[in-house]
Amino acid sequence: MKKQITLIFRCKSVKLNFVLLLQKSTPKLLIGFFYLFISSCSFHNTYIADHLIKKQIVKNTSEHSERNWLSDGKIHLITIGTGSPRADEKRMQTSTAIITDGNFLIFDAGSGTSIAAERQHLPMDQMNAIFITHFHSDHIADVPMMVNSSWRLGRKHNLPVLGPEGTIKVVDGINQFMSFDATYRHKNGDGNSSISFAKAIGKEIPTPNEKVKSLLFEGLNGLKVYCFTVSHSPVEPAFGYLIQHKGKSIVISGDTRKSENLEYFSENADILVHEAINKKILKKFLEVTVQYPDDTSMQIAATTAVRVMDYHSSPLDAAEIAQKANVKTLVYTHITPTLGPFLARTFITVPMFLEGVSNVYKGEVIIADDGFHYELNTR
């Protein structure tokens, strides 16, 4: 005669019913083993859960951040975000980091880039300064969060935010905007340092004349950051930045039309980080939108596309500047429009994006993704 027993097995909220048909001949050892397995389930679940939680805590702490980049004798360039104002599932908005010899500098901070910086394990508590190229939202939306998160994660020094005239007004607004949050978190024990460090310190500089660069920041171990003007009218002022350290130079364009002033200050640069809008792709886009004259969203998108083409640079524009200035490596960022999924990128958009570039520029060319990391040796 057979006897049926139903065993209920629960593991992580999943209930499994095991039906055993027991006969006199069923080995008791097998039944005992099965009960032992079930009784140990909660132990294994707890062990696995504890291990995963510990791993996540370690991953999220500053001890896991790339702190060695601050002292390994190299200049590290990281494109935290490489997108534009338009939503792109692959890219946050614009932000670039330079890390070297105790210096951790941020250039622009568009939406989503503070989260991206943490995901990329940058040493947020060691952030020394934030530089603003201009006041378009996709370049400053996450400045408040860069200030706040670097403080929450342990920054114990003042954080200057530097840029063109108007920066102090923007920073005052940021401090006011984040004041309640800082107060609450400080009372709750967050920040691990004085609440005074939760505020940024604004510093601005008058707009330099053409072919004149202004020293805006002197960092540790001889690092210097200069600003100069670029052409982004009607956005005025708009800055590009020249970073010099131990005989190496990096230029960050900000948003600009093809600019002779940018070319002038990019002379012999090791890296030029330059925005790029593919106007050919946008023109194809416009050809599609005109087929929908009654679609409001299509017409708004078309109007925006026409306007942005006028005050941005194409990949070919940037390549021509890099060639004339004898730049060693050209890094494209602020990628517009989106390059799409893998197949579209491989066979359509990237070839269109780079069309003609190799004919005019003979150096290294990189289309940066979020988290792209480039190293320069200084020793």
Side-chain angles (χ1 to χ4, degrees):
M1 179 178 178
K2 294 182 180 180
K3 182 179 179 182
Q4 177 175 306
I5 297 178
T6 301
L7 301 177
I8 300 175
F9 173 48
R10 295 180 182 272
C11 187
K12 285 194 173 180
S13 302
V14 176
K15 184 171 81 172
L16 301 175
N17 295 335
F18 291 90
V19 178
L20 295 181
L21 296 177
L22 303 181
Q23 303 183 56
K24 287 184 179 180
S25 60
T26 303
K28 292 182 180 179
L29 183 62
L30 178 61
I31 298 171
F33 177 79
F34 195 80
Y35 272 109
L36 181 63
F37 171 76
I38 293 172
S39 63
S40 67
C41 176
S42 60
F43 168 77
H44 287 298
N45 276 344
T46 301
Y47 174 80
I48 293 171
D50 289 351
H51 175 74
L52 292 175
I53 290 170
K54 179 181 178 181
K55 185 176 180 180
Q56 192 62 40
I57 290 172
V58 171
K59 182 178 179 180
N60 289 341
T61 58
S62 60
E63 283 74 14
H64 186 72
S65 65
E66 300 291 353
R67 308 177 80 81
N68 59 303
W69 293 352
L70 290 158
S71 57
D72 65 0
K74 299 177 181 178
I75 299 175
H76 299 268
L77 182 147
I78 304 96
T79 53
I80 301 171
T82 57
S84 70
R86 304 294 295 180
D88 187 334
E89 64 180 13
K90 300 289 186 182
R91 301 176 186 274
M92 298 298 187
Q93 292 179 351
T94 299
S95 185
T96 302
I98 301 292
I99 302 177
T100 184
D101 279 349
N103 301 281
F104 175 18
L105 313 179
I106 297 285
F107 295 83
D108 287 336
S111 180
T113 54
S114 64
I115 292 174
E118 289 190 53
R119 286 177 177 169
Q120 294 162 18
H121 307 303
L122 304 189
M124 302 296 284
D125 62 317
Q126 299 300 306
M127 192 179 297
N128 300 108
I130 299 174
F131 299 85
I132 296 173
T133 60
H134 64 291
F135 304 125
H136 265 146
S137 61
D138 60 309
H139 292 256
I140 65 170
D142 251 26
V143 172
M145 289 308 302
M146 286 288 189
V147 175
N148 184 271
S149 61
S150 62
W151 170 69
R152 285 190 292 104
L153 293 170
R155 176 172 50 79
K156 294 180 173 64
H157 53 264
N158 290 320
L159 183 65
V161 175
L162 310 100
E165 291 177 284
T167 298
I168 291 175
K169 182 178 180 179
V170 169
V171 171
D172 287 345
I174 287 170
N175 289 334
Q176 184 176 355
F177 171 60
M178 298 300 291
S179 61
F180 288 118
D181 178 88
T183 299
Y184 301 150
R185 294 187 186 280
H186 182 67
K187 288 181 178 179
N188 199 46
D190 288 2
N192 299 315
S193 66
S194 169
I195 193 173
S196 65
F197 298 140
K199 292 184 177 181
I201 298 175
K203 180 181 179 182
E204 60 189 39
I205 196 165
T207 304
N209 294 325
E210 289 287 304
K211 296 190 177 180
V212 174
K213 67 181 189 290
S214 296
L215 180 62
L216 186 58
F217 180 82
E218 292 189 75
L220 300 172
N221 299 302
L223 180 141
K224 294 182 179 180
V225 179
Y226 297 89
C227 62
F228 56 88
T229 58
V230 294
S231 178
H232 197 41
S233 175
V235 179
E236 294 178 343
F239 282 177
Y241 287 102
L242 168 62
I243 303 99
Q244 293 183 332
H245 186 56
K246 292 186 175 179
K248 302 294 184 179
S249 63
I250 297 172
V251 175
I252 297 174
S253 73
D255 284 1
T256 182
R257 297 179 181 89
K258 189 176 181 182
S259 167
E260 291 184 5
N261 207 40
L262 175 65
E263 179 187 324
Y264 180 81
F265 288 111
S266 299
E267 188 72 26
N268 296 319
D270 293 278
I271 304 174
L272 170 59
V273 182
H274 202 294
E275 66 125 319
I277 289 184
N278 191 295
K279 298 179 183 180
K280 185 172 183 178
I281 297 176
L282 283 179
K283 287 174 181 177
K284 289 285 186 185
F285 170 77
L286 290 173
E287 291 175 6
V288 174
T289 61
V290 296
Q291 300 174 33
Y292 302 90
D294 299 324
D295 188 318
T296 302
S297 62
M298 282 284 191
Q299 295 313 304
I300 291 173
T303 301
T304 301
V306 170
R307 289 174 178 169
V308 299
M309 281 193 287
D310 178 56
Y311 65 158
H312 287 278
S313 301
S314 70
L316 193 57
D317 290 334
E320 290 172 349
I321 287 172
Q323 182 64 27
K324 291 179 180 178
N326 194 34
V327 170
K328 296 180 180 65
T329 298
L330 173 60
V331 177
Y332 289 119
T333 188
H334 199 280
I335 307 300
T336 309
T338 179
L339 297 178
F342 175 77
L343 289 177
R345 286 170 59 102
T346 303
F347 297 107
I348 302 173
T349 55
V350 168
M352 288 179 70
F353 193 89
L354 294 176
E355 186 175 357
V357 168
S358 61
N359 294 331
V360 300
Y361 177 61
K362 304 308 177 183
E364 182 180 24
V365 176
I366 297 165
I367 301 176
D369 292 315
D370 289 13
F372 166 74
H373 178 198
Y374 195 97
E375 297 180 357
L376 281 175
N377 289 310
T378 61
R379 292 174 178 170

